[in-house]
Amino acid sequence: MFGAKSFSCFTAMAAALVFILLNVAMVCHGGKTSSFIRKVDRAEDMPLHSDVFAAPSGYNAPQQVHITIGDHVGRAMIVSWVTMDEPGNSLVRYWSEDSPHKKELAKGHHVTYRFFNYSSGFIHHCTLRELEFNKKYYYEIGMGHTIRQFWFMTPPEVHPDTPFTFGLIGDLGQTYDSNKTLAHYQSNPHKGQAVLFVGDLSYADNHPNHDNVRWDTWGRFVERNNAYEPWIWATGNHELDYAPELGETEPFKPFRHRYHVPYKASGSTEPFWYSVKIASAHIIVLASYSAYGKYTPQYEWLEAELKKVDRSKTPWLIVLVHSPWYNSNTYHYMEGETMRVAFESWFVKYKVDVVFAGHVHAYERSVSATNCPLSTDDMHLI
Ligand SMILES: [Fe+2]
């Protein structure tokens, strides 16, 4: 049943939105939906000594804690964190809210990497499996040195009638405006249950030698939400970190080491394109900066993936991609055009409900579009 599904109108500031799947009919009037006016001045990065970048106290204390969905349907969670003093261990102790005495222990692993003159901390990844749906879990990391405790809610079981609230953030960076954006999202009365992140995380590559310390500061900055709420990652151009002038020729090296996603669960061969199912939504993540032409792995994966979408179970079909296919701004104009040409007919055939993109730092939405230039009447700008 596609039935009476629609989405609520947004309130928006910068790039943080809340997107709610509902099963009641609502009318979405376009036009102006926010009083936010973007300032003219260029956004300025917060300095390294900013309080939002402060490392937690204690020897080898876990920092940059973040979670994402760990399987294809929301019964697993990947917990990631960094220790700076020594490897420590990759153990996660966890328990559900209603069984506080039944503590489980999961063991993950850690990785490290070098980027030019930077050496990473010990980056831990641990997947908690066979969780119960729609349940609050507490988790602890840092055993043996400094223990820190967090919690998360698992999503509800995949079902066509289950509502769910997504946050939508892209191009966050670590400027003073980034901090306002995250605070704005967290203060929204429609509490997000998971964030769809449409690429461009830390903007570390804007700093000399792609200063990867800025990947660490970004991880500490977003921990206040991302340790408690799964963020679904898409990659943007600022994740490429391709810098042959520095001898760094492996694209996505920092992202690949720091952010693990459950790509294998959807038959993908790379963490840049994959899918997850959450509540009543089938979410497909595409990669603007990985090959997507005919015969490429991403092309073949998407062709097969779209056939697997079962609208009787997940009536919502949502796509995340960094570079927009439709954009009326001069900045980044037409950059998404080759991917649009490659995939748009499939989106029409399989009736994709909504595509969320980032890249252009201006909020813009359009009516459904198919292989045609949009007139300004079709665009609703903020
Ligand atoms: Fe971008």
Side-chain angles (χ1 to χ4, degrees), residues 171 198-200 203 236-238 289 322-323 332 335 358-361:
D171 308 274
V198 288
D200 282 358
Y203 291 70
N237 50 304
H238 288 282
Y289 306 100
H322 185 65
S323 187
H332 299 314
E335 289 182 16
H359 202 37
V360 179
H361 296 187

Side-chain angles (χ1 to χ4, degrees), residues 154 188 207:
T154 51
N188 194 308
H207 293 264

Side-chain angles (χ1 to χ4, degrees), residues 80-307:
S80 303
W81 69 97
V82 178
T83 54
M84 288 296 195
D85 300 311
E86 60 173 277
N89 59 60
S90 303
L91 297 173
V92 178
R93 184 161 52 215
Y94 62 103
W95 62 95
S96 69
E97 183 179 39
D98 51 8
S99 302
H101 303 297
K102 193 177 168 224
K103 292 189 165 67
E104 310 269 358
L105 205 58
K107 184 168 172 44
H109 70 286
H110 78 266
V111 295
T112 60
Y113 74 92
R114 289 185 58 81
F115 191 97
F116 189 53
N117 60 355
Y118 168 91
S119 296
S120 76
F122 305 96
I123 304 166
H124 303 260
H125 301 286
C126 181
T127 304
L128 316 185
R129 299 185 186 280
E130 297 182 8
L131 304 173
E132 291 183 56
F133 288 113
N134 206 26
K135 186 149 288 201
K136 185 173 184 177
Y137 283 86
Y138 291 90
Y139 68 98
E140 289 179 342
I141 50 180
M143 271 78 77
H145 295 120
T146 301
I147 295 176
R148 297 183 68 202
Q149 185 184 109
F150 305 88
W151 57 265
F152 59 76
M153 284 288 299
T154 51
E157 188 168 6
V158 173
H159 188 279
D161 295 325
T162 304
F164 195 83
T165 304
F166 290 105
L168 179 62
I169 303 178
D171 308 274
L172 186 57
Q174 45 194 299
T175 69
Y176 290 101
D177 292 325
S178 314
N179 197 26
K180 283 185 195 167
T181 296
L182 187 55
H184 177 73
Y185 169 60
Q186 292 185 286
S187 67
N188 194 308
H190 298 293
K191 289 299 172 200
Q193 295 166 274
V195 166
L196 305 176
F197 194 94
V198 288
D200 282 358
L201 285 66
S202 74
Y203 291 70
D205 58 343
N206 279 354
H207 293 264
N209 302 327
H210 294 225
D211 186 0
N212 273 223
V213 168
R214 285 287 178 172
W215 275 103
D216 292 316
T217 54
W218 196 80
R220 295 197 290 269
F221 160 50
V222 300
E223 181 193 276
R224 72 192 198 219
N225 185 266
N226 199 184
Y228 301 91
E229 198 173 302
W231 289 28
I232 309 301
W233 301 109
T235 47
N237 50 304
H238 288 282
E239 280 65 73
L240 271 165
D241 282 309
Y242 174 70
E245 72 279 13
L246 303 176
E248 294 295 346
T249 54
E250 179 190 337
F252 301 105
K253 189 202 265 186
F255 177 86
R256 187 192 280 275
H257 284 83
R258 291 170 181 272
Y259 292 90
H260 281 192
V261 299
Y263 64 97
K264 291 178 183 169
S266 57
S268 171
T269 50
E270 290 286 353
F272 315 121
W273 60 88
Y274 62 99
S275 74
V276 289
K277 291 185 276 192
I278 298 177
S280 46
H282 190 122
I283 298 159
I284 291 178
V285 176
L286 294 182
S288 296
Y289 306 100
S290 303
Y292 48 77
K294 198 166 185 179
Y295 313 119
T296 63
Q298 182 172 198
Y299 183 102
E300 302 217 336
W301 176 84
L302 180 61
E303 187 174 34
E305 175 68 13
L306 286 166
K307 292 175 184 156

